[in-house]
Amino acid sequence: MSKTTVSTLLKYKQAGEKFATITAYDASFSKLFADAGIEVILVGDSLGMVLQGHSDTLPVTVDEMAYHISSVRRGTADTLVIGDMPFMSYTTPEQTYQTATKLMQAGANMVKLEGGEWLYDSIRGLTERGVPVCGHLGLTPQSVHLFGGFKVQGRQQEQAEKLLNDAKALESAGAQLLVLECIPADLAKQITEALTIPVIGIGAGKDTDGQILVMHDMFGITPGKPPKFSKNFLTEGGDMRGAVEAYINAVAEGVFPGPEHTF
């Protein structure tokens, strides 16, 4: 597999080719995913929930993110690795630069921030300093207490318009990638078509440029009731490698997510 860059993903969008993304937190799984054909891995602060057992992502620290990013990097040289910037680690541009430095030096190719237009100056500053940025809109898990739980966002007209405007602002600031989480499929389609940068969806319908799943959801090993937007690919893949390949193919063919995974 050749090295994946943000330019690779932009070419996919321009060609109308869908791509799959997954979370990973260690070298063993990042190698498994890369060998199976995954080109983009997110080292998510979701590790706070799926690895550490917390009820949300808020307790995750910058040092913990750097540790897991470095582990994932050792498992693959060619995969595009995105690192989440954890809760309250990017409240000012200066703090944002310090956090991004740690994550990039740990092995990330790009950092991901949750939030809208208020991040404009920080994103512009990062890109001016050579740090690629992925935005994250919709259900932003670090704001779970503000939302009153893990709820679908953008159902009201005013909320939908704000998400679209925020997406345009992030792109204008220099973001090269955007994640949309738990928003209505028609809104995700509108945002994807309005932006020139690639858009990755999770619970955002089939019309985004790419899809992402938490690895535990894809393998069907998440404790409790699985999220509506997830699918257990292990049942049809037979083993872990087969499950990843089934996921990649389902995204490429446009059959995942289906209507049952969509808001």
Side-chain angles (χ1 to χ4, degrees):
M1 186 177 78
S2 58
K3 197 174 187 69
T4 303
T5 67
V6 289
S7 298
T8 309
L9 303 185
L10 184 59
K11 289 176 182 176
Y12 289 159
K13 179 183 178 88
Q14 293 168 344
E17 297 177 12
K18 306 284 187 181
F19 60 91
T21 307
I22 196 168
T23 67
Y25 313 96
D26 64 29
S28 297
F29 276 108
S30 69
K31 185 177 190 312
L32 171 71
F33 297 154
D35 290 348
I38 284 281
E39 295 176 285
V40 184
I41 288 175
L42 169 67
V43 185
D45 59 0
S46 50
L47 68 88
M49 300 173 74
V50 297
L51 297 188
Q52 298 175 339
H54 297 296
S55 60
D56 53 46
T57 64
L58 274 59
V60 178
T61 68
V62 175
D63 286 342
E64 288 169 343
M65 286 304 308
Y67 169 83
H68 287 280
I69 288 168
S70 66
S71 298
V72 166
R73 181 82 282 167
R74 293 186 197 105
T76 174
D78 296 326
T79 308
L80 180 72
V81 173
I82 305 170
D84 264 343
M85 297 182 69
F87 178 65
M88 293 297 283
S89 69
Y90 47 99
T91 58
T92 65
E94 291 71 24
Q95 185 191 28
T96 302
Y97 306 153
Q98 292 171 1
T99 301
T101 298
K102 282 192 173 184
L103 302 192
M104 295 293 285
Q105 289 180 339
N109 303 116
M110 173 179 262
V111 297
K112 181 166 76 64
L113 301 78
E114 297 181 9
E117 192 171 3
W118 68 272
L119 286 169
Y120 188 96
D121 290 341
S122 292
I123 291 175
R124 178 167 291 283
L126 284 174
T127 56
E128 286 174 347
R129 289 157 177 79
V131 179
V133 174
C134 175
H136 186 157
L137 293 171
L139 172 56
T140 45
Q142 292 174 16
S143 302
V144 60
H145 296 302
L146 190 65
F147 295 148
F150 294 96
K151 299 178 179 179
V152 178
Q153 303 296 306
R155 280 184 160 148
Q156 289 77 36
Q157 181 64 29
E158 183 179 351
Q159 209 178 39
E161 289 176 0
K162 185 178 188 312
L163 284 172
L164 176 58
N165 290 334
D166 279 342
K168 291 178 178 178
L170 297 183
E171 180 180 54
S172 176
Q176 293 176 289
L177 200 60
L178 176 66
V179 170
L180 294 176
E181 180 169 357
C182 288
I183 68 172
D186 56 349
L187 175 60
K189 183 176 188 290
Q190 183 183 5
I191 292 173
T192 301
E193 292 174 349
L195 302 185
T196 59
I197 61 173
V199 176
I200 298 173
I202 177 166
K206 65 181 178 60
D207 293 309
T208 53
D209 303 302
Q211 299 291 331
I212 185 166
L213 283 177
V214 172
M215 58 170 276
H216 296 68
D217 292 341
M218 191 204 65
F219 289 138
I221 57 174
T222 304
K225 185 180 178 182
K228 176 181 178 177
F229 54 74
S230 68
K231 179 178 177 179
N232 179 0
F233 282 92
L234 196 58
T235 56
E236 60 186 67
D239 60 18
M240 286 184 169
R241 181 183 294 274
V244 180
E245 292 172 351
Y247 167 51
I248 293 170
N249 292 334
V251 172
E253 294 165 8
V255 296
F256 178 81
E260 67 274 24
H261 310 115
T262 301
F263 301 104

